[in-house]
Amino acid sequence: MNTAALLLLACAATVAVDPQNLNTTQLINKEVLQKLSQKFKSNQTIDHNDLALLNRTIQNLGVDRDLVAKFTGIDNVAKVSGEDRPYDAYGDEIGNNEGTVRHVEESPDYASSVVLASDLLSLTSAVASVQERVCREQGYKFLDGLIMNKRWALKMFDASAKSPQGLLFGSSYHLGNFDECVAIEDPGDNGVTIEGQYCLATIKWRQKQETKKTRTGRGETLRWAVCVPSACHANSVQSFVSSVLAHTVSNTTGVEVTENDCYTRRPVSITKLDVAYLSVLLLFLAILLFSTIFEVYVIYWGKNKESIAQTLIISFSVINNMKKILSTKQHNSLGLECITGIKTLAMIFIIAGHACMFIASGPVMDADAWDRLVRAPANAFMLNNTLLVDTFLMLSAFLFSRLLLVELDKRRGKLNVIPILVFRYIRVTPAYLVVILFYMTWLPKIGEGPLWQDRLQLEQQRCMDSWWTNILYINNYVNTDKMCMFQSWYLSVDTQLFFIAPIFIYSLWRWRKFGPALVSIAIIISLIIPSVITFKDKLDPTLLFYAKEFTDIISNFYFNEAYIKTHMKMIIYFIGILTGYVLHRIQTENYQFSYLMKTFAWITSVILGVVTTFSVTIFYQEWYQYSPLEAAAYISLHKLAWGIVNGWLIIACATGNGGILGKLLMWKFLAPFSRLTFCAYLVNGIVELYYVGELRHPLHITFFTVMATAISHIVLTFLLALFLCLTFEAPLHGIEKILLRMFARPVLSDNARKDESAESSRNTSQSKLDS
């Protein structure tokens, strides 16, 4: 009789009876023990090794020896010579011919209590069903290690998830102990090293037929951690978990395990792309160091001679760029200081919204807690991440419109916009490309965790497949199911609209009646298109943050098919262009608002702002019944209302009618953060992915824990943004300004009036616009 059979039968005996309340009648009536008796009668010859292992099994499991002897007919089960001697994993005595016994690392007696007889029974059957020979053999060694009370085997079992806790409470992530598992390394008795491999299986419970789709909670999916030998491939682990579940919850479940779900520690594999990226990064750091030393030399040794070469070198200096970033000075020629505060506050809440999305869709103890939070109207600001992104889109259009109208006035309409478009692309793309390459190379190599392979490997693969769509700014229409960087859609939308905006802006400048009419028509069309699409396809009124739909945001249907499309976002951009034109007319004609006009505008703006902010909670309520007509009206009208709110806020602050809110938005302390918003938007995905990939245990969701985590993400994002800005974005922006002076200015009209303060303001605002 082989070892596995002995172990299985012994386990069966233990499960079937209670050793403390045992009598002969109970034993005879147990079907499992009857099978055990028949099995022994059919094979009375048991060699020394099997007998030793059976004895060790009985000792560890606490089965009554007299009971087994009586039931099986084996009188010497408790009289094996040298019973107290240690045995190896296969029942052999550990020692040599001289009688010396070698040391075996065993855990304290209490450690074996983590293993239940019922666990051994299901594990034994599951290991026996594995088709992969190497995996099955190491599985038997693992089982024997449990019987022998070996520390490495107990760690492997201890690191796996056990009976679910809080399953009815909504806890769908049972992550075991990741670090305990991957740290396992046992030389083995036959020279074959057994290493721990952490796998996170996806278990899909049988779904009931329901007439109404449930969007709350986490659905019928459970993530279950299992620690197995590293020799086992994903398909073997899937078979193993399926077999274990078959003994506990029958065959009503589906198990899925992919290679990305399994992790074992291996030496980092370096590709040519990794080396090339690291070389470029080190080269830039070396240039920064050289430029910083050069600036120190210029400052302290008085070699301050202005030249293009010197300016070019100093543009890479950390000191020079840090002073620019931390400066609180703002140019006042156009009265656009409030843009600083709007950008900063909007970015802070966008990052907080991203953090909430990853927290809610990641491992949590109570899935229903997020549903309770989103239903509360007081938490609506967390759900309006979409409106804040629209705010950035509007600011981009407003600044471009306002500044281009100024230039058209100065140059009497003779303005070549081609250099502006080209240099805009040149300025934005390098820092963007640096982050994309980091996703493709080193991001998956900087950490580890239960969800690391699942999230980070997937993100890397998507960037490898679709990086070219990002730098061409078409990734919101091409390869959307493989989008690199979930937040990168905004840059594509902004760039596409940026390239068509000059047509409308020039129309506003050239024709006083036709220009506004053309923009008004564009606004009406951009209102109709989203409404028609939403009504026709019965889409959501906006992007709704249901946790189970955002486990992978790229695969979310609404995000992929509607939210990221330019034709669904145009309305807010055209409102921004119109706002820039209105402010230009007000400032050039020195128009003064009446008290009645200002009061009406502020009251209207506050009402619209409150309605657009808090009305979204209606769609999360249990009593809400979906209506395609309501959804079609909401998707356009709430963007129109939000555009009006932001438009008046900008105009009021720029004309000195902002009041206390205007003073807050013009607070100088916000200026440094405003300069980091572009880089913060680029690197925020790294922070969020790192958080969810490294998370070892489910998070208990409360308002406090969500806000505390979101604040930490905001701080980390801006710190990373500072590094990216100092290393790439600020130096390249300095080079762009030099090249713009050298190549862009000759193509402009010679009749342009040179106003240094306006030019300085234009450059600063252009920086804000590109961000």
Side-chain angles (χ1 to χ4, degrees), residues 724-744:
L724 180 64
C725 188
L726 288 175
T727 309
F728 292 98
E729 205 259 350
L732 294 175
H733 177 45
I735 295 174
E736 179 217 13
K737 290 173 65 178
I738 296 172
L739 296 177
L740 197 61
R741 294 195 202 104
M742 295 174 60
F743 299 105

Side-chain angles (χ1 to χ4, degrees), residues 57 126 151 200 202 206 279 289 337 392 454 626 693 741 755:
T57 303
R151 181 175 292 273
L200 197 60
T202 301
R206 181 179 57 185
S279 300
L289 179 61
E337 300 89 344
F392 261 86
D454 187 24
Y626 175 79
R741 294 195 202 104
D755 187 338

Side-chain angles (χ1 to χ4, degrees), residues 329-571:
K329 294 181 180 180
Q330 300 185 66
H331 300 281
N332 301 319
S333 61
L334 295 180
L336 302 180
E337 300 89 344
C338 64
I339 301 298
T340 295
I342 297 175
K343 285 176 58 179
T344 301
L345 296 179
M347 181 54 64
I348 288 174
F349 283 105
I350 286 173
I351 297 172
H354 289 169
C356 291
M357 182 176 66
F358 275 82
I359 291 169
S361 61
V364 298
M365 295 178 64
D366 179 9
D368 293 334
W370 177 255
D371 298 324
R372 292 193 296 270
L373 284 178
V374 298
R375 292 191 192 106
N379 299 327
F381 66 93
M382 293 193 304
L383 310 175
N384 273 312
N385 202 11
T386 59
L387 287 179
L388 294 170
V389 175
D390 289 341
T391 297
F392 261 86
L393 203 60
M394 181 176 177
L395 290 178
S396 175
F398 163 76
L399 286 170
F400 194 19
S401 174
R402 181 70 183 94
L403 300 174
L404 196 59
L405 288 170
V406 171
E407 293 298 320
L408 288 169
D409 279 347
K410 289 168 58 178
R411 307 178 194 283
R412 300 176 184 177
K414 297 178 180 180
L415 180 65
N416 188 350
V417 298
I418 300 300
I420 296 176
L421 301 178
V422 171
F423 279 103
R424 196 262 186 185
Y425 179 87
I426 293 175
R427 183 190 180 278
V428 173
T429 305
Y432 185 25
L433 183 59
V434 166
V435 178
I436 292 174
L437 287 172
F438 183 68
Y439 273 71
M440 296 167 61
T441 55
W442 292 97
L443 179 58
K445 301 178 177 67
I446 62 175
E448 60 180 10
L451 293 170
W452 189 268
Q453 294 279 101
D454 187 24
R455 298 294 183 92
L456 277 300
Q457 290 282 0
L458 177 61
E459 196 71 22
Q460 181 189 40
Q461 187 59 48
R462 283 172 173 167
C463 288
M464 295 292 287
D465 293 338
S466 302
W467 63 270
W468 58 275
T469 63
N470 287 59
I471 62 174
L472 292 178
Y473 298 97
I474 57 174
N475 64 331
N476 61 327
Y477 284 101
V478 181
N479 283 0
T480 56
D481 59 332
K482 299 178 181 179
M483 181 184 293
C484 173
M485 298 172 57
F486 71 92
Q487 76 277 27
S488 63
W489 65 269
Y490 167 81
L491 298 176
S492 296
V493 172
D494 189 21
T495 301
Q496 292 161 16
L497 292 173
F498 189 93
F499 274 74
I500 67 172
I503 300 174
F504 296 91
I505 298 172
Y506 182 80
S507 300
L508 290 169
W509 180 86
R510 183 67 178 81
W511 299 287
R512 287 293 181 92
K513 294 183 178 180
F514 174 74
L518 180 63
V519 175
S520 299
I521 293 172
I523 291 176
I524 293 173
I525 293 175
S526 62
L527 278 170
I528 295 174
I529 291 176
S531 296
V532 171
I533 293 175
T534 301
F535 182 82
K536 176 177 174 291
D537 296 336
K538 294 182 172 55
L539 299 176
D540 287 335
T542 185
L543 188 65
L544 299 180
F545 289 88
Y546 287 109
K548 73 177 183 179
E549 296 179 5
F550 279 88
T551 302
D552 179 18
I553 186 174
I554 303 300
S555 63
N556 179 272
F557 177 80
Y558 186 86
F559 178 86
N560 201 296
E561 298 296 329
Y563 180 73
I564 63 176
K565 305 301 184 183
T566 302
H567 58 266
M568 304 289 282
K569 297 287 184 182
M570 294 189 299
I571 177 175

